[in-house]
Amino acid sequence: AVYDGEVHCWGPIDSYRPWTTATSGALAVGHEFACTSDVFGRVFCSGRNDLGQADGPLDFFGEVAAGDGHVCALDDGAVVCWGDDTYGQATPPELEGQFSVAAGSAHTCSHTEEGEVTCWGDDSSGQATPVGLVGTVTSLAAGRDHSCAVDGGELTCWGDDTYGQSTPPSGTDWVVVQTGDFHSCALDEEGLVSCWGLDNWGQASAAPYQHFTELALGEEHSCGLKTDRLVSCWGRSLEGQTTPAL
């Protein structure tokens, strides 16, 4: 998490603790590597680099997203990626006007401010083929082999649904969605969280009944930023990943 401009981490990440500064902005955590940006948009990555995932270009970016072995970032409405490109996940199409980007295990999705979604990369489970969208996406997330979006206040997911991770709850008042490996969570207009999918460690059922403003999901755990600016986590904690260092 970024708190007062500094990066705070917890769990098994000592070998790839991200570069930090008093002016840190965006933060993205991949598989054994992490990237952060300063307030000027310069991206710094550390950790595993066997696929070039920690060797980002020296440029100025907006939002940054990390998958298992690749990273994508926004550059004046275009998407720039680096790292593992086995499935084309780091080779985005020529895009303009992109507002947000999300990186899954080996696929990537982005959307415009108008809500149009484009995905590329591994599509073996249909995770890179958006379905059921009406084009008003305001929140977008990519998991291991599935993707989810808030579209006109409704939740829509596509891709692997082995554990129900692509079968979201109904309703029209959703504002934020995030995805883990095999589970997903969303916030409604009141800031209450609902989760679905694999729940072997309580990552989809042990969410506290509190009001949140942001969500972040890992492989088998979930975290949320509460309205009092404190972090609460639930799910697998064998390596301390649900004990916030804040």
Side-chain angles (χ1 to χ4, degrees):
V2 177
Y3 183 77
D4 285 343
E6 295 186 358
V7 176
H8 297 259
C9 302
W10 54 96
I13 62 160
D14 286 339
S15 62
Y16 58 98
R17 186 172 298 275
W19 175 91
T20 182
T21 174
T23 56
S24 293
L27 172 66
V29 180
H31 180 63
E32 297 184 356
F33 75 100
C35 298
T36 185
S37 66
D38 62 18
V39 294
F40 302 106
R42 296 174 298 188
V43 175
F44 302 84
C45 301
S46 60
R48 185 171 179 174
N49 194 36
D50 56 318
L51 300 169
Q53 60 267 54
D55 281 336
L58 296 176
D59 207 340
F60 299 91
F61 299 104
E63 184 175 329
V64 181
D68 268 10
H70 76 292
V71 181
C72 290
L74 295 182
D75 183 13
D76 290 330
V79 180
V80 177
C81 302
W82 59 91
D84 184 19
D85 198 33
T86 302
Y87 299 95
Q89 65 266 43
T91 302
E94 293 186 9
L95 299 169
E96 297 180 352
Q98 299 304 296
F99 181 74
S100 182
V101 62
S105 177
H107 75 290
T108 312
C109 296
S110 66
H111 74 86
T112 64
E113 191 168 4
E114 292 74 27
E116 297 181 3
V117 175
T118 302
C119 299
W120 58 95
D122 184 18
D123 197 32
S124 56
S125 297
Q127 64 267 46
T129 303
V131 295
L133 300 177
V134 299
T136 56
V137 169
T138 53
S139 180
L140 180 65
R144 173 166 291 278
D145 293 313
H146 76 295
S147 306
C148 291
V150 175
D151 186 22
E154 296 183 353
L155 289 168
T156 300
C157 299
W158 58 94
D160 182 31
D161 197 34
T162 302
Y163 301 100
Q165 66 267 42
S166 292
T167 304
S170 60
T172 59
D173 62 345
W174 304 102
V175 294
V176 173
V177 65
Q178 288 291 348
T179 51
D181 270 15
F182 302 109
H183 74 293
S184 311
C185 295
L187 295 179
D188 64 17
E189 292 177 347
E190 295 183 3
L192 299 177
V193 61
S194 294
C195 300
W196 59 97
L198 183 63
D199 194 39
N200 56 327
W201 291 95
Q203 65 266 39
S205 66
Y209 185 79
Q210 296 174 326
H211 297 275
F212 294 87
T213 59
E214 297 179 30
L215 290 173
L217 274 60
E219 181 178 351
E220 295 175 317
H221 73 289
S222 310
C223 293
L225 180 65
K226 299 184 292 184
T227 53
D228 59 8
R229 308 305 294 173
L230 296 178
V231 175
S232 180
C233 300
W234 56 97
R236 180 186 171 106
S237 192
L238 296 183
E239 297 82 21
Q241 58 267 59
T242 60
T243 304
L246 291 171

